[in-house]
Amino acid sequence: MTTTPSTAAADITPAPPRAVVTYRDDGPLAKAMGLLLSGQIPPLPPVIAGAFVMGALLLAGTAGRGDLAMFAPAVLLLLAGSGAAHDHDGRLDWLVPPILRLTEYGFVAFVGFGRSVPPVLIFALLGALAFHHYDVVYRVRQRVQPPSWLAAVGLGWDGRLLVIGVAGLLDAATMVFVLLAGYLWGVFGWESVTCWGAVPGGAPSPREGPAEAVPAAGQGSRD
């Protein structure tokens, strides 16, 4: 079977800009920061700067200044949050979500191992985050938008990092990892099952139309 040029082009088409915004998984604080700046800040440079500063603070933490590293989420929020309201329509803006995932997972691991949290709890929390992020990406690819409230209830990358940073400062990391992992698995697991169960006739093919054209599961048609 011969592949037509149009088909080949469809196979390499990047995710639409608004899908990239969904992939960010911003919480209320990051969204408020973006709205404060009216979406005028390009998203990639501040995210790269935030990741660099966070890396420097974590490096300082490994050198014996562990409490200093706990302020890294606040710095990342101020920098990366500034571009949250942008359309993410730049050629390289698709890099923003992977960078945010790297910083989030890295900070969780840093606090967990640095504060002697049992490894099973660290991996349980990382597993909840990875499940959620994969689920969101797959939904958007299948034109099943996650509900607008999910990022807020799931705290967003910004809220989760701030909670973990405060837990590290208060030497309560183990308890917070238990509570946060249980909470996120419950929220993300329950919402995912109910969302996919509400999709009539299975998820449509990604090639049937843009992701933005389909409402979140559970929202009826307006026709």
Side-chain angles (χ1 to χ4, degrees):
M1 177 178 180
T2 303
T3 301
T4 64
S6 59
T7 302
D11 292 338
I12 61 175
T13 299
R18 296 308 301 176
V20 177
V21 176
T22 303
Y23 295 159
R24 283 181 58 115
D25 194 28
D26 293 317
L29 294 176
K31 290 180 179 179
M33 181 69 65
L35 292 174
L36 184 65
L37 297 172
S38 304
Q40 299 300 311
I41 306 297
L44 186 58
V47 167
I48 292 176
F52 177 81
V53 173
M54 173 173 273
L57 290 174
L58 297 187
L59 185 61
T62 60
R65 300 179 180 178
D67 288 345
L68 181 62
M70 299 302 107
F71 294 96
V75 176
L76 183 64
L77 171 61
L78 291 174
L79 291 171
S82 64
H86 192 274
D87 286 337
H88 291 64
D89 51 1
R91 178 171 296 182
L92 297 178
D93 286 348
W94 62 270
L95 289 170
V96 170
I99 295 174
L100 290 175
R101 299 292 80 79
L102 178 64
T103 55
E104 183 176 8
Y105 297 169
F107 188 73
V108 169
F110 175 87
V111 175
F113 290 110
R115 292 297 191 266
S116 300
V117 175
V120 64
L121 295 179
I122 300 174
F123 290 117
L125 181 52
L126 289 174
L129 298 177
F131 168 81
H132 169 59
H133 293 139
Y134 175 82
D135 186 47
V136 168
V137 170
Y138 192 75
R139 287 193 210 190
V140 174
R141 287 173 58 87
Q142 298 296 327
R143 300 172 58 244
V144 180
Q145 288 292 310
S148 58
W149 53 262
L150 182 59
V153 173
L155 306 180
W157 62 265
D158 45 319
R160 294 188 292 263
L161 289 185
L162 288 173
V163 169
I164 294 171
V166 171
L169 283 174
L170 299 178
D171 291 326
T174 297
M175 179 182 66
V176 170
F177 269 60
V178 171
L179 296 176
L180 193 58
Y183 171 74
L184 293 180
W185 270 116
V187 169
F188 295 150
W190 172 83
E191 196 283 326
S192 178
V193 170
T194 56
C195 173
W196 285 110
V199 177
S205 168
R207 293 185 182 178
E208 292 179 10
E212 291 78 3
V214 174
Q219 297 181 1
S221 173
R222 298 183 181 179
D223 296 336

